[in-house]
Amino acid sequence: MVRTRVHNLFVSSDGYAAGDYVTFEKPIGDAGALFSRFDGRVIDGIHGIDGTGDPVTADHAMFSMWGQGIGAEIMGRRKFGPQTGPWPDDGWEGWWGEAPPFRTPVYVLTHYPRESIEFDNGTSFHFVDAAPDEALRLARSAAQGLDVRLGGGPSTVSEFLQADLVDFLHLIIIPVVLGAGVRIWDDLAGVEDRFTVESVSTSSGLTHQLWNRIPRG
Amino acid sequence: MVRTRVHNLFVSSDGYAAGDYVTFEKPIGDAGALFSRFDGRVIDGIHGIDGTGDPVTADHAMFSMWGQGIGAEIMGRRKFGPQTGPWPDDGWEGWWGEAPPFRTPVYVLTHYPRESIEFDNGTSFHFVDAAPDEALRLARSAAQGLDVRLGGGPSTVSEFLQADLVDFLHLIIIPVVLGAGVRIWDDLAGVEDRFTVESVSTSSGLTHQLWNRIPRG
């Protein structure tokens, strides 16, 4: 009865949701434009911009759903770091420094399991070689009755959509044309039949789409 | 640098934001239609509808700002109860039962101070005979660096707007015509000059307006 939720998934006009060529220097690859209107300060609430003169916008209200009632996250390996293959002994603990914003258990999907990493703020990373349904089982059990956030990247979201494991998807259409990157819609023809979709456009030029899985059975 | 915020203030097409004739039986008076599209389940987050088959809507995202980063509330007396004049010895502790949703100190504006009431869930009601600026000083001091929510009703919001004490106002235009009730805009001609206003309409027919005070000085 809890939900598996995707938040703040920006998609370009030509259907890309991340850049290619992720490196240590470029965590999102060649796709900076995708996130140019994102505001990470409000993912845990609109008060994240207190102390600035910035107005609270409708985009902020939509972004701020990210942290609401989440008990665990699942992410693909490339969201955690740019390495591929066996993990190098490089001390890498993710992009986020001493206080990753997740503050819950996070399950990182990888074919190369390694030891968990724990932070003082409640974030812990667990590395699992698991299919989507198995990863979701683990995350749900860790979430203690709260929802599970599927944190991306887009390949991971796409896999979970193909396996019909997504209950809620907050997708944001941004009018930029990337020309290349990681596609979100491959092998998903007709996926909209399983969802209701509400679209809301804001004055920034973004269109927020709320995809809700139609109740099963 | 913290904000004084108003949330989920529904206003009818003809400018009313509450009904007349509040009684114990009718907490919002003759204005049920005003709140017919409100969903109180999500004021602390969209997971409030987990366990139902209900979709998460853009309205839900907007409603859910209510609880974000709030450390205290100020409300008018009529939001607390329908009594007028000196408090009767009736054991009244508000409309909300054992666990009022506020979970912070709440300052109730009244010309008849009485003893505070405390609940186990962190809610406490304090009754103060104070002008808006003095009430705000009390609430800010209790809020411990978080924002203060100005909880209504509309007469109270109107007074605070006249005193230029509102930093953020989430107003919702609902296309119903009430014909009577408590007006929100009296003595506020030109108030919009102090704010930027963003409007977003949703598929439910509501228009959400985000009023942000233009930085002072």
Side-chain angles (χ1 to χ4, degrees), chain B residues 2-178:
Chain B
V2 296
R3 293 175 209 243
T4 301
R5 294 160 34 194
V6 177
H7 286 276
N8 300 327
L9 182 69
F10 282 83
V11 179
S12 70
S13 296
D14 49 346
Y16 298 106
D20 290 325
Y21 315 116
V22 168
T23 65
F24 286 106
E25 291 72 36
K26 296 193 294 185
I28 48 179
D30 292 326
L34 265 183
F35 301 98
S36 54
R37 299 184 204 172
F38 180 56
D39 190 338
R41 297 174 302 175
V42 299
I43 55 174
D44 281 316
I46 56 170
H47 53 295
I49 57 164
D50 279 355
T52 72
D54 299 346
V56 176
T57 66
D59 290 334
H60 286 149
M62 305 297 290
F63 298 154
S64 76
M65 289 189 284
W66 183 90
Q68 297 178 9
I70 294 291
E73 166 155 332
I74 297 170
M75 66 168 66
R77 176 179 179 171
R78 201 164 72 155
K79 177 169 171 186
F80 180 76
Q83 304 91 343
T84 56
W87 294 96
D89 184 16
D90 62 357
W92 181 254
E93 297 192 330
W95 301 102
W96 303 279
E98 295 291 302
F102 310 102
R103 292 182 297 166
T104 66
V106 176
Y107 293 86
V108 181
L109 302 175
T110 168
H111 297 305
Y112 301 89
R114 51 181 276 194
E115 270 191 25
S116 297
I117 307 173
E118 306 219 0
F119 290 84
D120 289 341
N121 76 344
T123 304
S124 57
F125 293 105
H126 309 279
F127 302 85
V128 295
D129 184 7
D133 58 345
E134 173 60 17
L136 186 53
R137 211 158 20 239
L138 286 169
R140 276 216 181 124
S141 143
Q144 300 189 308
L146 294 173
D147 288 351
V148 171
R149 184 176 48 236
L150 182 58
S155 320
T156 303
V157 172
S158 195
E159 272 175 53
F160 276 69
L161 281 170
Q162 287 170 38
D164 194 14
L165 294 172
V166 175
D167 300 305
F168 176 75
L169 169 63
H170 173 204
L171 187 145
I172 305 169
I173 308 294
I174 178 166
V176 301
V177 179
L178 288 184

Side-chain angles (χ1 to χ4, degrees), chain A residues 24 33 62 120 160 204 212:
Chain A
F24 286 106
M62 305 298 290
D120 288 341
F160 276 69
S204 69
N212 281 277

Side-chain angles (χ1 to χ4, degrees), chain A residues 3 46 50 56 68 147 212, chain B residues 46 50 56 68 147 212:
Chain A
R3 293 176 209 241
I46 57 170
D50 279 354
V56 177
Q68 298 178 8
D147 288 352
N212 281 277
Chain B
I46 56 170
D50 279 355
V56 176
Q68 297 178 9
D147 288 351
N212 282 275

